Amino acid sequence: MTEDEYLLDQAIDVYLSGLKGLEAFISEPSAEFALSFEQYLILRSITKQPGIKLMDIARQRKVTRSAVSRQLKVLLGNGYVTQKRDPADRRRQALVVTPAGKTVEQRITANVKKRFKKWVAIYGSERGQMLLDLLADFNKQILQNNPGSNKESKQND
């Protein structure tokens, strides 16, 4: 077996045993409120940036407007967010968090922070930083430079 084949086998093992479960692990705090982690992150953006527009969120997250719109439907449907027409341009609508949305965002954020703190306590902040640096570098060098992966990620958002 060549070194490349060995690395591929290891990558597959890591994916099957760890990375597949990572999203479920990350999403757990928001699932209690029938939200995906992506929806929570959008709710958090609206909470931290009152009056933000859908287009602003799409630009910040580097996804399409329709991707944000699909996620936003759930937040609107749950009564966590409302839309308010811009008096200067009636076609534009600002996103506003409701009191229920603010409570949900605060509770999920508290759970995320508690979970992250446990993760750092087990893994260590130095190793955690090394892992995050490695993942950021992998994202920049491999994922962001792969034209096919950007297209796929926008479709999946």
Side-chain angles (χ1 to χ4, degrees):
M1 178 181 294
T2 68
E3 186 176 342
D4 286 351
E5 289 172 326
Y6 178 73
L7 284 174
L8 175 59
D9 286 347
Q10 279 190 305
I12 291 169
D13 287 345
V14 167
Y15 172 73
L16 290 173
S17 65
L19 294 179
K20 278 179 79 172
L22 185 59
E23 184 173 353
F25 177 79
I26 289 172
S27 296
E28 193 174 307
S30 57
E32 176 186 343
F33 299 95
L35 295 179
S36 70
F37 195 69
E38 293 292 322
Q39 291 158 350
Y40 156 69
L41 292 175
I42 291 170
L43 178 61
R44 189 168 186 245
S45 292
I46 296 166
T47 301
K48 291 188 171 293
Q49 301 168 69
I52 191 171
K53 312 276 190 295
L54 183 145
M55 287 178 50
D56 299 327
I57 295 171
R59 192 176 5 215
Q60 288 172 2
R61 301 181 62 71
K62 298 179 178 117
V63 297
T64 63
R65 287 181 6 205
S66 62
V68 174
S69 184
R70 284 190 301 274
Q71 303 294 345
L72 196 55
K73 280 183 185 179
V74 174
L75 296 172
L76 291 164
N78 286 340
Y80 298 153
V81 172
T82 61
Q83 294 177 313
K84 182 177 177 184
R85 291 220 181 269
D86 184 338
D89 182 351
R90 307 240 339 124
R91 295 170 295 172
R92 294 176 52 101
Q93 294 189 23
L95 299 168
V96 181
V97 68
T98 64
K102 187 172 180 93
T103 299
V104 165
E105 187 275 333
Q106 289 171 340
R107 289 185 58 195
I108 295 171
T109 297
N111 289 340
V112 166
K113 286 180 178 179
K114 187 185 328 179
R115 208 159 221 243
F116 187 73
K117 191 174 182 177
K118 285 181 184 177
W119 177 77
V120 172
I122 293 167
Y123 203 67
S125 58
E126 187 176 319
R127 286 176 64 208
Q129 187 62 59
M130 287 172 47
L131 174 63
L132 294 174
D133 290 345
L134 258 171
L135 290 172
D137 187 49
F138 183 83
N139 181 48
K140 181 180 176 185
Q141 290 192 42
I142 307 299
L143 300 179
Q144 298 301 316
N145 284 328
N146 182 354
S149 78
N150 287 341
K151 185 177 179 182
E152 286 176 24
S153 70
K154 286 189 177 186
Q155 289 174 348
N156 293 332
D157 281 335

